[in-house]
Amino acid sequence: MATIEISRLNGDFGFEAKDENGHTVLMDSSPESGGQNFGIRPMQILLMGLGGCSGIDVISILKKQRQEVVDYKMIVKGEREAGKEPSLWKEVELEFHIYGDVDKDKAERAVELSVNKYCSVAATLKFAGADVKYEVFVHPANK
């Protein structure tokens, strides 16, 4: 079982989350909500988790296909429900930027498999009602 320890470090809402391996993340609420901008908002961490989860999938799939990925970047955008408590992610847009000697069809298939089959974070967001969309861009190695 995964274990996360949360400790308050800064102001009312400034927390540090630490996993069982000692990795840490700083979290806070917005200044408008009484926070001090000490760390990342918890809901943003969920989008970061989506990017990391899907990135691991995509790179793994492309490596198995012997594609030469020399760099990789993602842009993750999200829109939350307005005027609701809790305010869930309703729309999430992913941009996959893959650099190297990579076949575009294989890149698109790797992303499709990640977002629709393998990525647990994407599945969690979809189960909660989010519309997760994506675009794939393959760039030459020299960016």
Side-chain angles (χ1 to χ4, degrees), residues 49-76 94-120 122 132-139:
L50 171 60
C53 179
S54 191
I56 290 168
D57 291 342
V58 170
I59 296 297
S60 177
I61 292 166
L62 291 174
K63 282 181 72 163
K64 288 177 186 172
Q65 296 176 337
R66 300 193 195 307
Q67 299 298 294
E68 188 181 334
V69 178
V70 297
D71 201 2
Y72 177 88
K73 296 184 180 166
M74 282 184 74
I75 297 172
V76 182
L94 306 170
E95 285 184 20
F96 293 81
H97 293 270
I98 302 165
Y99 299 84
D101 187 15
V102 177
D103 180 275
K104 173 83 168 165
D105 291 336
K106 289 183 179 183
E108 289 180 349
R109 179 68 176 147
V111 169
E112 190 271 329
L113 285 169
S114 174
V115 172
N116 294 320
K117 184 175 182 180
Y118 295 122
C119 179
S120 300
V132 179
K133 298 177 182 177
Y134 61 86
E135 285 186 275
V136 180
F137 302 91
V138 176
H139 307 280

